Amino acid sequence: MDRRHFLKTSALSAAGIAAGGILAPESSAKTKTVDTRLESKGFIKEPSRKIAVVDGADVVVVGGGPAGFAAAIAATRQGCDTLLLERGYFLGGLFTGCDVTILNDMYTPTPNGRLQAVFGICDELCDRLWKHEMITWLGTPPNVDTEATKYFMEEMCREAGVRILYGVQAAEVNMSGDRVEHIILETKSGRVAVSAKFVIDCTGDGDVLAWTGEDFTEYKYDISAMYRLGNVGGRKGGSVTPNEGVITGHLGDGVRDVDGLDMYTLTNAQLELRRRMWDSAWKLRQTPGNEKAYLLSTPSVVGVRITRVLNSVFNVTTEGAATARSYDDVIGFTGADSTLRWNGTSIPRVQRKMWQVPYRSLVPKKVTNLLVAGRCFGFEQELTYDAREVGTCLMTGQAAGTAAAQAVAHRLGCRDVDVKLLQKTLRENNVKLDW
């Protein structure tokens, strides 16, 4: 689905004028209407209200998944006051909240073993997990303990000086020309706003970029679920975890080819997938040696794989990934961990090379103080599997945070960042940029 237009509001006005009852659709023609993909049964007018600006920062990162975690640390380490906004009460997003456990695309498989593609903050996190025996490399991608990962993500943010706000749902943006001035939040403290010199959209679904009016494309994909099974003894299967007797199950096909932005779809998918996870655990108990196995955990986050993707200054092409194209503005590599269909053929994962991500693919065409990292940066649909994985999110997040700090320090727009300086800083922070 192509670009959708989302309502932009000021910090002093919500989407409406006066309180009222249900209105027929045609009766609100003079009122701006919040866009929704759902069928409308009428409209209401929301009362006008002032929204308190309660906080602000040099860099505001929206979304605390792998991309947001890395972006916030990178920006803070470069001297920025950074505020990380997360709707849940943990860091890691689907990585930790959906029991993914597998750090895909940190490595790329080869016929002779594996090559590491993602370093930097990703490496730092893995080092901490390794020292505490909370990660294992029994395969191409490492597998982590999700609770330990949540803890060490928070510790790394605390040590860097990142300010975290949990339980805040970004709801809208307040724009001034081509700049984002405020992020409007729904919280337990009410509807509030935070100001920002620079914003990084790490929501996964591209919520912020959509509210600003940036162009995007929507991709449909399967909604999946991963879950952990405990006290497993007599079965070899699932993904190995660092914990004895614990494996990760995966409902890979999940709910097929659906809209990950539809609240009814998301609810029904969660209900269906939880039933299937329970059935899987119960069947396991019927196998010899697993009579006391149990369902250890189910995801606290619905396993949406892709929704909105930014139509950036330059979207990474399938050809670019398939041919291992080099970019002058490279900001990192991602591992090639899937079969890729290109030019009428399928390239097996072990025959592919890791591929470069250019800075331009994080950069919007219109807004000047916004970057996009994580699974909603700019790429062609065929690259969805690689582009949405944890390793790629960590890499793009670190690059976005570093670039945002540079933009704030030199009072630049996102399209004016000195790429050579950005690359120099990334290399100094152990990011791989060269073949």
Side-chain angles (χ1 to χ4, degrees), residues 56-60 79-83 163 195-199 404-405 408:
D58 295 330
V59 177
V60 174
C80 284
D81 174 33
T82 307
L83 185 61
R163 296 193 292 124
S195 61
K197 293 180 181 177
F198 207 96
V199 178
V408 170

Side-chain angles (χ1 to χ4, degrees), residues 152-232:
F152 286 118
M153 281 183 159
E154 286 186 343
E155 283 298 286
M156 289 175 66
C157 284
R158 180 185 61 79
E159 292 166 8
V162 175
R163 296 193 292 124
I164 300 173
L165 270 179
Y166 282 146
V168 294
Q169 174 69 62
E172 292 178 22
V173 296
N174 168 40
M175 300 286 292
S176 176
D178 58 4
R179 294 181 57 83
V180 180
E181 293 288 333
H182 302 89
I183 304 294
I184 298 173
L185 308 173
E186 296 288 358
T187 80
K188 283 294 184 180
S189 302
R191 189 175 175 94
V192 299
V194 296
S195 61
K197 293 180 181 177
F198 207 96
V199 178
I200 307 177
D201 186 346
C202 297
T203 60
D205 292 319
D207 294 332
V208 177
L209 71 90
W211 295 326
T212 67
E214 280 293 339
D215 289 334
F216 61 87
T217 301
E218 286 186 25
Y219 299 153
K220 286 187 176 182
Y221 210 81
D222 306 338
I223 294 178
S224 63
M226 297 187 74
Y227 54 101
R228 290 188 296 168
L229 297 157
N231 205 27
V232 178

Side-chain angles (χ1 to χ4, degrees), residues 12 26 31 34 43 60 62 147 178 192 196 204 219 226 236 251 265 269 274 280 286 294 313 351 354 372 374 396 433:
L12 301 180
E26 60 272 11
T31 302
V34 177
F43 294 95
V60 174
V62 187
E147 292 304 318
D178 58 4
V192 299
Y219 299 153
M226 297 187 74
K236 294 180 180 179
L251 300 177
T265 296
R274 196 184 308 281
S280 175
Q286 315 308 310
Y294 61 95
V313 171
Q351 294 179 14
M354 62 183 75
V372 177
T396 56
L433 298 183

Side-chain angles (χ1 to χ4, degrees), residues 296-362:
L296 176 62
S297 63
T298 59
S300 56
V301 181
V302 180
V304 175
R305 285 163 158 163
I306 201 74
T307 51
R308 301 185 191 97
V309 169
L310 173 69
N311 289 329
S312 64
V313 171
F314 174 80
N315 279 21
V316 185
T317 64
T318 308
E319 178 183 12
T323 60
R325 178 178 172 184
S326 295
Y327 300 99
D328 290 340
D329 60 338
V330 56
I331 46 88
F333 282 84
T334 181
D337 199 26
S338 65
T339 297
L340 183 66
R341 289 177 292 276
W342 172 67
N343 203 24
T345 63
S346 292
I347 309 172
R349 58 199 289 269
V350 295
Q351 294 179 14
R352 293 181 57 200
K353 292 183 178 181
M354 62 183 75
W355 50 278
Q356 290 188 348
V357 175
Y359 175 66
R360 289 167 289 166
S361 65
L362 312 184

Side-chain angles (χ1 to χ4, degrees), residues 241-403:
T241 75
N243 311 107
E244 185 176 355
V246 177
I247 66 171
T248 300
H250 186 203
L251 300 177
D253 53 350
V255 181
R256 305 300 296 271
D257 192 30
V258 293
D259 180 356
L261 297 172
D262 183 297
M263 65 184 189
Y264 296 108
T265 296
L266 294 173
T267 300
N268 292 333
Q270 182 65 74
L271 292 169
E272 167 66 15
L273 292 171
R274 196 184 308 281
R275 180 185 62 79
R276 289 169 59 182
M277 286 182 276
W278 175 261
D279 289 346
S280 175
W282 190 252
K283 288 177 182 177
L284 177 60
R285 289 174 66 101
Q286 315 308 310
T287 63
N290 290 303
E291 291 84 357
K292 294 186 178 180
Y294 61 95
L295 187 59
L296 176 62
S297 63
T298 59
S300 56
V301 181
V302 180
V304 175
R305 285 163 158 163
I306 201 74
T307 51
R308 301 185 191 97
V309 169
L310 173 69
N311 289 329
S312 64
V313 171
F314 174 80
N315 279 21
V316 185
T317 64
T318 308
E319 178 183 12
T323 60
R325 178 178 172 184
S326 295
Y327 300 99
D328 290 340
D329 60 338
V330 56
I331 46 88
F333 282 84
T334 181
D337 199 26
S338 65
T339 297
L340 183 66
R341 289 177 292 276
W342 172 67
N343 203 24
T345 63
S346 292
I347 309 172
R349 58 199 289 269
V350 295
Q351 294 179 14
R352 293 181 57 200
K353 292 183 178 181
M354 62 183 75
W355 50 278
Q356 290 188 348
V357 175
Y359 175 66
R360 289 167 289 166
S361 65
L362 312 184
V363 180
K365 297 175 181 176
K366 302 173 184 177
V367 183
T368 58
N369 67 333
L370 174 69
L371 286 171
V372 177
R375 71 174 192 239
C376 48
F377 80 98
F379 56 88
E380 289 186 345
Q381 188 167 10
E382 185 55 45
L383 299 178
T384 293
Y385 188 98
D386 288 346
R388 66 182 173 83
E389 291 293 355
V390 177
T392 313
C393 292
L394 287 163
M395 177 270 293
T396 56
Q398 183 169 358
T402 306

